[in-house]
Amino acid sequence: MQSLGWLARAGGLLRLGCFDEAAQAAEKSVMLAHACPDQPLIGEGLALLMQIRAAPGFTAASDAELIEAQTIARRYFAPLAIPLGMPDAERLRRYCLDALCSSESHAVPDTHQPAVVAAPRKRRKTS
């Protein structure tokens, strides 16, 4: 939970343009996720860290971080390939969107109420 909190903080700081603080929060998130180890969370933290480091005037992400994130995307958490821009990213994006659209078409409308069936009850004999 702490790792997820630091990840959320890093994302908020990135949106505010506080790149140094965002990078520190993302690094802390990745470090805590490694302690779990929660592979998808590690990957998300690394992807955000790379996004932060891609900001103008910031140091580039290390090759080791990119390789680790890509490995996680291939082995544990395929949707991570989308923000990483991996070769299968567009195919995965379409697959995810198609899955969302098809699940919406099978959803039961809110106005649909199942019929209530009255089941006969056994009554106890009373004396």
Side-chain angles (χ1 to χ4, degrees), residues 46 49-50 53 59-69:
L46 289 169
L49 188 56
M50 287 184 286
R53 291 185 175 163
T59 59
S62 72
D63 289 338
E65 291 169 344
L66 177 60
I67 290 169
E68 183 179 8

Side-chain angles (χ1 to χ4, degrees), residues 39-52:
Q39 295 299 321
L41 191 55
I42 293 168
E44 288 183 39
L46 289 169
L48 183 59
L49 188 56
M50 287 184 286
Q51 183 181 355
I52 293 166

